Amino acid sequence: MKRLALLAAILASPAMAQSYTEAEGGTLRWLDKLTSETGDVELSRGQSAKIGRLVVQLDSCRYPTDNPASDAEAHLTMVDGGLQKTVFSGWMLASSPALSALDHPRYDVWVLRCVLPEIADPATTPAAEGE
């Protein structure tokens, strides 16, 4: 019983919680299963793009604060223009696209990454060039 209480305390501790940073945008990949056409699209937060008859909107993209190159997660809303119906609204994880996937007979859409802020390279800064 003590082991179970200890495990519960460890799992509930704040150290286990991961903080996320909101990105300005994200990159998605899409596939038209009928024509085998694929492509990538980069969207800013709140922006939408038309992919065939799908309209895909990026509502949010976030990444782990302590490891920006790690797993991105994005909230997407997708509307099938032919049906005038929302076919997906939810979070997708870059590392596990099948966990919460678009269920559409023609299109697949998944998250690749968030757009990360540019980090200045010390070798290219004006101070480094004058040395």
Side-chain angles (χ1 to χ4, degrees):
M1 191 62 148
K2 288 183 182 181
R3 287 184 185 170
L4 184 57
L6 179 61
L7 180 60
I10 290 171
L11 292 176
S13 72
M16 298 298 285
Q18 189 168 17
S19 64
Y20 285 85
T21 300
E22 186 71 27
E24 291 300 313
T27 304
L28 311 175
R29 180 163 289 161
W30 57 270
L31 165 69
D32 183 328
K33 295 184 260 188
L34 186 62
T35 65
S36 298
E37 184 180 3
T38 64
D40 293 351
V41 61
E42 187 174 302
L43 298 172
S44 297
R45 192 176 40 220
Q47 185 180 17
S48 61
K50 190 164 169 83
I51 300 170
R53 62 183 216 201
L54 278 185
V55 176
V56 180
Q57 178 173 317
L58 177 70
D59 303 314
S60 176
C61 194
R62 59 189 189 187
Y63 56 89
T65 303
D66 60 344
N67 189 0
S70 181
D71 195 22
E73 50 187 53
H75 191 278
L76 304 171
T77 302
M78 296 182 230
V79 176
D80 186 322
L83 302 173
Q84 295 298 317
K85 174 183 173 187
T86 300
V87 293
F88 182 88
S89 181
W91 289 95
M92 281 190 181
L93 304 175
S95 65
S96 304
L99 188 62
S100 177
L102 168 66
D103 184 22
H104 195 276
R106 182 167 180 174
Y107 301 101
D108 276 338
V109 176
W110 61 98
V111 179
L112 292 179
R113 65 189 155 274
C114 291
V115 174
L116 300 177
E118 293 294 322
I119 299 171
D121 182 1
T124 61
T125 60
E129 292 171 1
E131 293 175 1

